[in-house]
Amino acid sequence: MCVQWSKLLKPSPIEVLFVVLPDTLMLDWAGPAEAFRIANRSVAASAQAPFVLRFAGPRQNATSSIGAVVSELEPLPSTLRAQSWVVLSGSPSRPIHASPSATRETLEWLRRVRPGEGDTKLITICSGALLAAIAGLLRGRSATTHHEHLDDLGKSDIGCKVVANRVFVNDGPLWSSAGVTTGIDLALHLISLECGAAVAAKVAQTMVVPMRRGPHDPELSPLLAYRNHLHPAVHRVQDAVSENPTQDWTLPRMAGIAHTSERHLARLFNEHTGVSPLHYLRTIRVATAELLLRSGHSVTRAAELAGFRSDTQLRRAWRGAGRGGSPSVAIAQSMPAQ
């Protein structure tokens, strides 16, 4: 039986179909679902709700990653309306879900789905991209997934162009996100495209999301970079720099925080983080400046609040971080279209 699309050109509202499998990571799909629900509530009272949420799966009940059971799921539909969005979420510990038979049924169903037909979108979250890849839906397209599954994604379909360290990636009718909370970022972006930036901003505010990330943003925050180690002295310096990046941080001052000599601190940073203390300081200041720019500050004010002596120094550090162009232009290009 082939999945069919109705002949309507652009039905409204959009049907968002969440495919829920056994051991699904609940936050992968529950976060985006809440964003769409709040968007419905946020539009003008006289307007039609933009989204209809549906939840389907190969089984009527599915036990989630945290043990909560999602019950009374719809069966996977044989018919999709035009402009439907199919959302595939992931599993917390394995590329393929716990029930082999449920996975097989889902893959068979997915192989009959044609992203792009009837203006249908395929949205993958976390290792949901692997299911789409195995079903052959990512061939020739760019996609991302959780950083722990990037190699698996490339092996699942060698024709997929794997994009690393991105919050989400768009390629035609395919939208893929890195997973867990990035599904919320992607949902907010799609809400902005469909309903406008004001509605998306209201949804973000309601969800207490401090910043909406875009497709050019890294999956791994620069503010958390170089912290995957256990050395207490290096962590003390990193904590102090992160808490107050405007401090006049010199190598002697950092060494005082670590209770080491300057030379020994440099050795410790190189051994445990792979960068120098001053490189780490620049990384934190650039990331802080980016947050300030996104919240509406000018380049000059962002530079000052992030600890740079001038906007020229910020621009130089921005380019040195490999971000290219000017900070204000890069931020403008990464924001959703109005």
Side-chain angles (χ1 to χ4, degrees):
M1 179 173 56
C2 186
V3 174
Q4 302 291 326
W5 280 265
S6 69
K7 300 299 183 182
L8 295 175
L9 291 177
K10 193 172 183 180
S12 183
I14 296 168
E15 286 198 349
V16 185
L17 178 69
F18 291 87
V19 179
V20 182
L21 282 85
D23 88 332
T24 182
L25 203 160
M26 186 171 280
L27 186 55
D28 272 359
W29 57 267
E34 283 294 338
F36 292 126
R37 180 190 67 82
I38 296 168
N40 284 342
R41 194 182 69 184
S42 300
V43 299
S46 58
Q48 184 180 30
F51 305 106
V52 170
L53 307 186
R54 298 173 61 190
F55 302 89
R59 301 289 181 269
Q60 187 176 30
N61 300 325
T63 301
S64 70
S65 59
I66 56 175
V69 178
V70 185
S71 61
E72 299 185 13
L73 294 166
E74 300 178 32
L76 295 170
S78 59
T79 300
L80 293 176
R81 285 179 52 182
Q83 209 185 14
S84 292
W85 295 357
V86 177
V87 183
L88 289 176
S89 59
S91 161
S93 59
R94 52 183 75 81
I96 302 302
H97 290 261
S99 171
S101 60
T103 299
R104 282 196 302 271
E105 290 177 34
T106 303
L107 288 171
E108 290 172 6
W109 180 80
L110 283 172
R111 291 185 179 110
R112 300 192 296 269
V113 173
R114 297 288 182 268
E117 283 188 26
D119 200 21
T120 298
K121 288 182 174 65
L122 176 64
I123 300 167
T124 69
I125 302 169
C126 195
S127 60
L130 275 72
L131 287 174
I134 294 170
L137 301 181
L138 305 190
R139 194 152 300 152
R141 295 196 180 277
S142 298
T144 194
T145 186
H146 192 277
H147 57 87
E148 293 180 356
H149 295 309
L150 289 169
D151 289 341
D152 293 324
L153 181 57
K155 294 173 184 175
S156 298
D157 187 344
I158 59 173
C160 174
K161 304 169 187 174
V162 179
V163 182
N165 199 23
R166 285 292 180 271
V167 172
F168 59 84
V169 171
N170 173 230
D171 189 336
L174 169 67
W175 294 80
S176 56
S177 70
V180 196
T181 61
T182 64
I184 297 173
D185 295 295
L186 177 50
L188 289 168
H189 188 83
L190 292 169
I191 290 167
S192 180
L193 294 176
E194 293 295 328
C195 308
V199 172
K202 189 172 182 180
V203 174
Q205 183 181 44
T206 301
M207 297 184 75
V208 200
V209 178
M211 182 183 72
R212 286 179 288 135
R213 296 177 290 179
H216 302 289
D217 290 316
E219 173 190 356
L220 303 176
S221 169
L223 293 171
L224 299 177
Y226 311 117
R227 299 300 298 255
N228 190 26
H229 64 86
L230 299 176
H231 199 285
V234 177
H235 276 306
R236 281 199 302 273
V237 175
Q238 291 176 315
D239 289 343
V241 169
S242 298
E243 289 171 9
N244 190 3
T246 60
Q247 180 75 258
D248 183 20
W249 289 110
T250 61
L251 191 56
R253 183 185 291 272
M254 292 182 188
I257 295 290
H259 306 300
T260 68
S261 68
E262 297 169 35
R263 180 175 296 181
H264 187 52
L265 178 63
R267 283 198 299 265
L268 288 175
F269 256 83
N270 184 63
E271 178 183 353
H272 294 282
T273 72
V275 298
S276 70
L278 295 180
H279 184 283
Y280 178 76
L281 171 63
R282 286 193 296 273
T283 298
I284 293 298
R285 285 178 171 171
V286 169
T288 302
E290 181 177 2
L291 291 173
L292 292 164
L293 288 165
R294 287 183 181 278
S295 56
H297 290 283
S298 68
V299 173
T300 299
R301 183 61 174 157
E304 178 185 353
L305 294 175
F308 292 102
R309 294 191 184 91
S310 65
D311 52 357
T312 299
Q313 191 181 57
L314 168 57
R315 291 188 176 94
R316 188 180 301 119
W318 187 275
R319 289 192 298 271
R323 297 176 180 239
S326 70
S328 56
V329 171
I331 295 300
Q333 289 176 343
S334 72
M335 298 298 284
Q338 299 293 326

